[in-house]
Amino acid sequence: MKNPLIILAWMIILSCQPIPEGFNPEDYKNQNIEGIIQVSAKLSSEIKDKRFLTVSVRDLSEPAPIAVLNVKDPSFPYRFKIDGKNKIDHDRPLKGKVIILARLSSEQGTTAKTGDLMGSAEAIAGQRNVLIIISTRLD
């Protein structure tokens, strides 16, 4: 077993490192969004062959996603939670107003294809009970 005093000394040394320039701890509060994804009645018969659900969160001003959740064989209504473990770049905070896109596909992947089913909703980081209704088919 390692000497606890050595471990404590290293913890103190590492905790005294300077905070990176531009770091704002407020940006990292409420790093989650929760909600429910439903499928509209008009598309409910089309979900049987759609085995992959991709939920992505994007900042309204940037096209690259902040976080992505992939689910195989979801059942609906589907309760989702996006948090820090779903983030693509951990240095990029999930903050402010975002758009959440939900896509059902027969193939796993990041690119939307003809026949995929989609829905979206705007939300604010930290929000609960976000409702996304998948109501559009990509043609």
Side-chain angles (χ1 to χ4, degrees), residues 50-123:
K50 311 290 188 215
R51 298 188 55 215
F52 299 97
L53 172 65
T54 301
V55 182
S56 60
V57 178
R58 299 174 192 273
D59 185 297
L60 295 175
S61 63
E62 295 183 35
I66 299 168
V68 176
L69 171 66
N70 291 301
V71 181
K72 185 177 178 183
D73 297 323
S75 58
F76 294 95
Y78 181 80
R79 290 195 164 277
F80 73 91
K81 179 177 182 178
I82 303 244
D83 57 23
K85 66 184 171 205
N86 304 109
K87 287 175 51 178
I88 294 171
D89 178 357
H90 292 284
D91 292 332
R92 191 171 162 208
L94 173 60
K95 67 177 185 175
K97 197 177 228 184
V98 296
I99 188 161
I100 306 170
L101 303 168
R103 180 174 51 89
L104 264 175
S105 182
S106 56
E107 299 176 12
Q108 189 172 12
T110 56
T111 306
K113 296 178 177 63
T114 300
D116 286 356
L117 308 178
M118 298 187 70
S120 64
E122 286 189 4

Side-chain angles (χ1 to χ4, degrees), residues 37-47 76 104 117-118 132-137:
I37 300 170
Q38 298 177 348
V39 178
S40 69
K42 72 177 184 175
L43 295 179
S44 62
S45 64
E46 297 185 35
I47 67 170
F76 294 95
L104 264 175
L117 308 178
M118 298 187 70
I132 301 172
I133 299 176
I134 294 177
S135 60
T136 305
R137 180 188 325 98

